[in-house]
Amino acid sequence: MDLLLQAADGALCLFKELTLRLLAFALAWLLAAPALAQGIQQTKGDFEDKFRQLDEVLPDPNVYRNASGAPGHQYWQQEADYRITARLDEDARRLTAQATITYTNNSPDTLPWIWMQLDQNVFRTDSMAELTNTFGGPGRRGPTVRAASGSEPAKLSLEELRRQQAMADNSYGYDITRVTLSNGRQLDHTIVGTLMRIDLPTPLRSGQSVSFNVDWAFNIVEENTIYARSGYEHFPDDPREGGNDIFLFAQWFPRMVAYSDYEGWHNKEFLGRGEFTLEFGDYDVTMTVPNDHIVSSTGVLANPNAVLTATQRQRLAAARNADEPMFIVTPEEAAANESSQPTGTKTWRYTARNVRDFAWATSRKFMWDAQGHKQPGAEFDTVMAMSFWPKEGGDLWRKYSTAAVVHTMEVYSRFSFDYPYPTAQSVNGPVGGMEYPMITFNGPRTNLNADGSRTYSESEKIFLIGVVIHEIGHIYFPMVVNSDERQWTWMDEGINSFLDSVAGYEWDPDIQWTRSLPRDLIPYMTSRNQVPIMTHSDSILNIGPNAYGKPSAAYHILRDTIIGRERFDFALKQYAQRWKYKRPTPADFFRTMEEASGTDLDWFWRGWFYTTDHVDISLDTIHKLRIDTEDPDIDLSRRRQDLADEPEKVGNRLNREQQLPIWVLENPGVTDFYDDNDRFTVTPKDTKKYEGFLEGLEDWERRVFDRAIEEDANYYVLNFSNKGGLVMPIILGLTFADGSYEKMMIPAEIWRRDARNVSKLLVYPKGKELASVVVDPEWETADADVNNNHYPRKIIESRIEAFKSPDPSSRAGRDLMAEVQVVEEQEAKDDQGSE
Ligand SMILES: [Zn+2]
């Protein structure tokens, strides 16, 4: 039935089908205008193939990355192992350190030099990041600088002024004091911004390793002033004389630049936004800090006997099997530390295997709790979930931080692999949220009230649970599925925002989690000022919705609407497991998701990741059609009834109401045959034609025709237009006159021959009448304008507020005479009072 009737709307007849199709084809041809497609030019017509395959855009598959999106049979990556000793000078807020780095060249190439990343140099006043920060531009997160607009003067926030003063007063960036081979031989090196080239005395051949030493020191930035991903935070009101600091150390040591099969050395300056492209390796790090500090770090504590009390070690052992978080350092002990003076230093040693980075935090303010998270059968069957926070974190942290760490591992492991490390930590500090292997920095806190109690807002609670889930989630993506953050923020942030929202809604569906569902992205996707997701991290405008929200929304749609949960979850897991401890590119992701789900998604990647189109499908009209019987006795009386059902001509009605005489009634002599037989009168010729039609049908045609006439089904033609540009499935909520409801999904491929307008025929048995239709009834596709989704259209309900007209605010509009007078009167009164 579908085959017979799926044509343009209008009167449908079995045998007009072919003619209509031909007409539609000719019309489309005539209306056409030129359009361009990748590499191929269509110079006639405006047809745009939204389903064109992506192969010609994606890099060619090769032996390192294959066409299915998996690592190729000759996949390789470099290894960088570090032994570091670091010493914190708390009073000077300076870190001094030495590293021995062993770099292994697993590439097939010979390397005459190697490159390192000197991220601290981003804080030098002559860094590319500082020099290219534009006034009033998107620039750094945090400080407000606004260019003049209209009558408003330019604005500079006090935070920005404080930052400028700190940059003027301090010398930031690395002091590299030694670069030598392990035998002590000096190595030539050249510093280029945040990068350093070290020339090797003999080229490093494939399969060889080189060990070398780097010594360095740097002044630690104040995070709240400089706006960095690490630094110190000062607490001047603490009971201890001079106050206290929390130190967060990240991007604190010279790290190897990644060398990959697709880019060679990743020589891309650190501009502050695009994060990190890193190699895996093993770490052995010692940190010497004041002896009343508690250190949280990537890795496992290798010398607990040297730094923890016997009681603390017992608590840590008990926490492994606890059902809820247990204190290792209690609030009382932290309070005592907070007001103490160190009597010397302690050296903490942490080791970590197969991590791509290393971060740590230290303060005498930290309390510390822990709970063992069990994952039977995993490489680490008990993971220590731990949190470190100062009193400012209060109950918010005690209740939610470590619990959220455990919840994250439960959800994320289901989608990827068992949590791959022995610890998972959440540390409170000045950084709003930032991730490193096994350790995350998270910002939310409580407010101190006048009576000394601490309370928090609902948004701070949502922020804490959400940010802990998000940052711990990053330990999977990109700390283990090691995508290139400097180039593609969306690769890790997109999957992570998607999974953190999955975990958030599984934590509590009643919480208003923000920014990750399709419906949250509509304002962004309809905004003018946006760039495609496939834009370099440092060039993105509005990085939150672009690199976090929009890809997350895309994955929710793939999972819940287009592919379905079972196949989507399988495909995502394949991606995670294929690229665990490896370096995937966008093409590897696109190809894996497509191959493992068995779905052609090129149209989806093309629309969502390579364009700024949005979703807006309009249901423009619905036509209800009834099949002609071709029997003149039936069809012509239907036509007669159709005419009778039309509204009376208004002039005729007014004439009637005025009781104007009608000529033919006044003059009976003028009537004839046509007064008794209208144009729908059946003639013998009509009957003969009908009989001829029936006789002309083949047997099978007659059977089909008779059945269609007998069933007398309801045919509805729904006409859709694509106003947003993105092709998407058409999801229909169908309500029938009998009160029943059906949901139906038409795959996006309906748009493959015409991405602007499509019609769809729906057929229901006689008696089943369609009452109303809504497109995307559950708001699952980010359809921007839901008002054109309803047929019939709906009245839009909203709210309106009464307001009082404001007083004039310009100086010329104010009554300055009166304002001066009031002050003079007050001064006169004050003078009298003092007499
Ligand atoms: Zn993130």
Side-chain angles (χ1 to χ4, degrees), residues 435 470-471 474 492-493 496 548:
E435 72 278 9
H470 182 88
E471 306 307 342
H474 270 310
D492 66 302
E493 296 299 354
N496 194 35
Y548 294 64

Side-chain angles (χ1 to χ4, degrees), residues 388-536:
F388 300 76
W389 70 97
K391 63 177 186 295
E392 287 76 7
D395 263 6
L396 181 61
W397 273 70
R398 188 182 59 75
K399 277 190 187 147
Y400 296 118
S401 178
T402 296
V405 172
V406 171
H407 176 67
T408 309
M409 290 190 276
E410 281 175 355
V411 175
Y412 276 64
S413 293
R414 233 168 62 213
F415 282 86
S416 53
F417 37 75
D418 292 322
Y419 183 82
Y421 294 120
T423 66
Q425 299 160 66
S426 163
V427 181
N428 181 247
V431 177
M434 194 57 204
E435 72 278 9
Y436 303 96
M438 298 181 241
I439 185 172
T440 63
F441 301 155
N442 301 301
R445 288 197 181 138
T446 56
N447 302 308
L448 181 62
N449 303 313
D451 66 355
S453 66
R454 290 188 170 274
T455 49
Y456 49 86
S457 65
E458 186 195 9
S459 62
E460 207 74 355
K461 171 184 165 179
I462 295 173
F463 181 19
L464 177 69
I465 299 166
V467 76
V468 170
I469 292 173
H470 182 88
E471 306 307 342
I472 294 290
H474 270 310
I475 299 175
Y476 296 78
F477 306 92
M479 294 301 140
V480 172
V481 179
N482 184 22
S483 60
D484 180 348
E485 293 179 280
R486 180 67 47 88
Q487 182 73 29
W488 305 117
T489 298
W490 68 267
M491 280 198 76
D492 66 302
E493 296 299 354
I495 286 179
N496 194 35
S497 299
F498 162 71
L499 286 177
D500 85 43
S501 58
V502 169
Y505 286 105
E506 288 189 20
W507 172 284
D508 182 351
D510 293 332
I511 287 181
Q512 297 293 315
W513 305 103
T514 52
R515 89 179 184 188
S516 296
L517 294 184
R519 61 173 75 180
D520 301 328
L521 269 295
I522 292 168
Y524 175 68
M525 290 180 68
T526 51
S527 67
R528 300 292 307 166
N529 224 5
Q530 49 167 315
V531 293
I533 291 176
M534 285 294 288
T535 299
H536 189 283

Side-chain angles (χ1 to χ4, degrees), residues 279-295:
E279 303 284 11
F280 285 100
D282 298 339
Y283 286 70
D284 187 336
V285 180
T286 61
M287 308 89 158
T288 301
V289 297
N291 63 0
D292 50 359
H293 273 216
I294 294 291
V295 173

Side-chain angles (χ1 to χ4, degrees), residues 656-667:
R656 182 163 47 75
E657 285 167 6
Q658 266 185 281
Q659 300 182 336
L660 290 180
I662 295 172
W663 180 270
V664 295
L665 297 181
E666 301 278 311
N667 302 280

